[in-house]
Amino acid sequence: MDKEIDKKLLSKNIKPTAMRQLVLEVFLKEKTAISVKEIEQEFELVDKSTIYRTIHHFEEMNLIHRINDGTGIIKYALCLDECTCTPEDEHIHYLCENCGKIYCLHHLSIPEFDLPSDFSFENVNIILKGICKSCKRA
């Protein structure tokens, strides 16, 4: 796992430090977006500012992306390897209204918008809401 983690970090020009490796490992084992608070719970003895700096650096280097689901709690998810976090990389997210988990739907691209010529497209956030398959089975 360490080689996979180091390879992923290095592919985004991120120096593999122990903390970065541990935080990336949390992202790799999660199948849904997670909040900083959830990451903090994994590392109770680590200074919170270290975790925030790591998350911020990951986001700056396009390893993770931020998701605002309208709940007031920002969540983060791993980017695809080829992602550069440009508007072309944007995708739709799915929020389970039962468990609160957010899933990246990479196969659903953001539709094109016919904006007036003096408007620029920077980013978009589309959240589909419903009940995920895990909650439906329960």
Side-chain angles (χ1 to χ4, degrees):
M1 182 69 129
D2 285 344
K3 286 184 181 184
E4 177 189 349
I5 288 172
D6 285 353
K7 183 179 175 185
K8 196 158 192 69
L9 290 169
L10 291 169
S11 74
K12 295 290 186 173
N13 295 316
I14 300 171
K15 182 181 176 183
T17 64
M19 191 69 223
R20 290 172 180 171
Q21 290 167 328
L22 291 169
V23 172
L24 179 54
E25 188 173 11
V26 172
F27 277 104
L28 287 170
K29 74 179 181 179
E30 289 295 326
K31 301 298 180 212
T32 61
I34 54 177
S35 68
V36 173
K37 185 173 184 166
E38 291 170 296
I39 296 168
E40 288 173 353
Q41 290 171 350
E42 295 281 329
F43 308 107
E44 292 178 15
L45 301 177
V46 175
D47 181 46
K48 290 180 182 182
S49 64
T50 302
I51 295 170
Y52 279 94
R53 281 193 309 273
T54 301
I55 295 298
H56 181 71
H57 189 59
F58 282 4
E59 188 177 12
E60 279 184 332
M61 302 306 286
N62 302 324
L63 181 63
I64 60 174
H65 60 278
R66 137 190 328 239
I67 304 161
N68 181 347
D69 63 4
T71 64
I73 299 171
I74 300 296
K75 294 190 178 174
Y76 298 89
L78 276 177
C79 292
L80 295 176
D81 289 341
E82 62 276 5
C83 179
T84 57
C85 291
T86 60
E88 296 78 31
D89 293 321
E90 297 283 351
H91 55 273
I92 294 173
H93 295 97
Y94 182 88
L95 170 64
C96 177
E97 293 184 297
N98 187 53
C99 66
K101 291 183 179 180
I102 297 177
Y103 298 84
C104 290
L105 303 178
H106 294 286
H107 65 287
L108 295 178
S109 299
I110 300 295
E112 287 191 32
F113 297 100
D114 187 21
L115 294 173
S117 61
D118 54 343
F119 285 65
S120 66
F121 175 63
E122 300 296 325
N123 63 56
V124 66
N125 187 29
I126 296 178
I127 303 283
L128 299 178
K129 295 180 181 180
I131 306 298
C132 71
K133 64 182 177 183
S134 296
C135 290
K136 276 190 173 186
R137 277 191 244 135

